[in-house]
Amino acid sequence: MLFDQSCVHRHSGIERVADESHFCDLFDHYAVVDRFAGRFPPCEGAVVGDQHAGRVQRIERAEPFGDDPAGLEFVFPFDLFGSHVPRAGNGTVEIVGMRGSGDRNVAPRLRPCGRIGRVGVGDAAGMFPIDPATGQYDAKMLAAFDRLVADKNYPWTLADLLPEILPVGTPAGTLTPAGAALLDPSGTLQPGAVFCPPEGDAGTGMVATNSVAPGTGNVSAGTSVFAMVVLDRPLARVHREIDMVTTPCGHPVAMVHANNCSSQVNVIAGLLRDFAAAMGQPVPDGKIYDFLFNSAVDGAPDCDGIVTYGYTSGESILNLDAGRPLTVRRADSTVNWPNLMRSNLCGALAALKVGMDILTRDEQVPLQRIYGHGGFFTTPQVGQRLLASALAAPVTVMETAGSGGPWGMALLAAYMLQRQNGERLAAFLERQVFACCQTVTVEPTAQDVADFDAYMQAFHAALDLERRAAEGE
């Protein structure tokens, strides 16, 4: 074993058989148990993939799916874990896959090495809802599931199948001699290094941007875009457009994810690059992107009637099953670089704004501080100002914003080793990490917000054209 967890296996009656031929036997803690596939009722629609994908498709019947057969797959009634009363005929839960076996009585092997692992709170939230009050799996939801499969007499409860949750700052294990030798055959790396509970890119991104306290949030914008907002209370109701995760501390987080962001801008940049090279005057990519983004600053507030849907794939927030890049304009629109690029950048944020409006307008969630990171913010203040206008909230970009998830994971390890007695993660980050960090904050004006809202009116007015184009009508 490379990673020693010193944990007691749960006595759940689950057979755990090691597969000695699998490389992952070298680890006691191998990633996380495959996510539980939460499906909507047959013929009602299904959420397929993890929470980051946000892809919605219709299904006619329940069937196993997933790119890794390890773990379990379930069909969940739409309202089982929501706030609504289940509709007639939806009160069943059917197990449709156990490590690829159709025999539902075969005990699942949760790891290739046959062990139940340990994960951080945020990582666990990607598999099953978390109770913010306890930082553990929601007991009422666990019980709801178990009641619905009680007649099947399975030799386990749902809690038996989920990995153990370790609070942030808790040691999760140590590097073993075998692990040190594999990672560094020279012998420089010594065994005994302490591991903190693992977190996914959502949790580490929150840490890397100092967005772990209620009222804070971050937006990662590149070829796709997603926002994570830390809440101080549960949402009033379930929203199809919003996924729920948690911070590494267990605070509830509303996540809005859009599949498309800057892909169309990248296409335009490629055309300019090819044109410059053909003219014998090649231009570095950095200059091309700076030109495109800075051009948007001089565009008309309403882009002079130019609306852009830069969608190369479907966008579930907008109920688009497929995407087709499309730019529409009035016959008398002035087509120049400023108007075209402002339209492209506003369009890149439009789907995100639809989801965020649900949070801020319908759910009355305040946005006190939003941090931006990703390629969309590389050119100073341009993408930042447009995002601030879209969210009607101040947006801050830090000098460390490009460091990303790996740095966030390192900060979680530092918190485990260096925090003061009783110090919370948010306080540690403020004191030890971000106190001297250089930042640039853009506050939107009322006119900025009104201009973006005007663009969104034109965006929604022509959205059916994008839908029909994507469907090939």
Side-chain angles (χ1 to χ4, degrees), residues 146-421:
D146 291 336
R147 283 194 301 270
L148 289 175
V149 297
D151 62 325
K152 301 183 184 298
N153 297 314
Y154 291 119
W156 40 261
T157 65
L158 184 55
D160 294 326
L161 306 181
L162 293 164
E164 178 185 359
I165 298 176
L166 292 182
V168 63
T170 303
T174 56
L175 184 66
T176 65
L182 177 68
L183 296 174
D184 182 15
S186 73
T188 302
L189 180 63
Q190 295 296 304
V194 182
F195 285 80
C196 63
E199 288 288 354
D201 57 354
T204 57
M206 295 178 215
V207 173
T209 54
N210 196 21
S211 305
V212 297
T216 64
N218 73 88
V219 171
S220 175
T223 53
S224 66
V225 59
F226 65 89
M228 292 183 288
V229 180
V230 186
L231 308 176
D232 59 2
R233 57 174 174 80
L235 297 181
R237 65 183 184 89
V238 175
H239 299 276
R240 176 187 60 82
E241 300 87 350
I242 298 172
D243 290 314
M244 293 303 299
V245 293
T246 75
T247 69
C249 309
H251 294 303
V253 174
M255 181 167 69
V256 178
H257 180 275
N259 294 328
N260 301 272
C261 184
S262 64
S263 295
Q264 184 71 358
V265 177
N266 297 339
V267 170
I268 296 173
L271 288 174
L272 285 181
R273 182 192 312 113
D274 293 345
F275 175 78
M279 295 295 100
Q281 299 290 334
V283 179
D285 283 356
K287 285 190 174 182
I288 292 175
Y289 279 100
D290 282 345
F291 164 73
L292 293 176
F293 274 74
N294 285 324
S295 293
V297 175
D298 298 322
D302 64 348
C303 309
D304 201 27
I306 301 174
V307 180
T308 300
Y309 306 90
Y311 299 150
T312 59
S313 60
E315 202 60 83
S316 61
I317 293 178
L318 302 174
N319 292 313
L320 296 175
D321 293 331
R324 179 170 294 182
L326 178 68
T327 297
V328 296
R329 64 182 179 90
R330 300 192 310 264
D332 61 347
S333 295
T334 300
V335 181
N336 55 26
W337 281 115
N339 289 339
L340 181 65
M341 288 314 303
R342 184 177 179 88
S343 175
N344 270 273
L345 297 185
C346 288
L349 299 174
L352 178 74
K353 177 173 173 57
V354 171
M356 292 297 288
D357 281 351
I358 294 173
L359 281 180
T360 58
R361 297 179 182 179
D362 298 353
E363 290 281 350
Q364 295 295 301
V365 173
L367 301 180
Q368 299 172 8
R369 185 177 64 189
I370 295 293
Y371 287 105
H373 58 112
F376 194 79
F377 306 104
T378 300
T379 301
Q381 299 196 31
V382 181
Q384 186 180 0
R385 180 166 296 281
L386 288 174
L387 178 63
S389 303
L391 302 184
V395 174
T396 298
V397 173
M398 298 186 292
E399 61 180 342
T400 57
S403 300
W407 189 57
M409 195 72 238
L411 293 179
L412 286 172
Y415 172 70
M416 177 184 65
L417 297 173
Q418 301 174 12
R419 63 174 172 164
Q420 297 176 353
N421 186 33

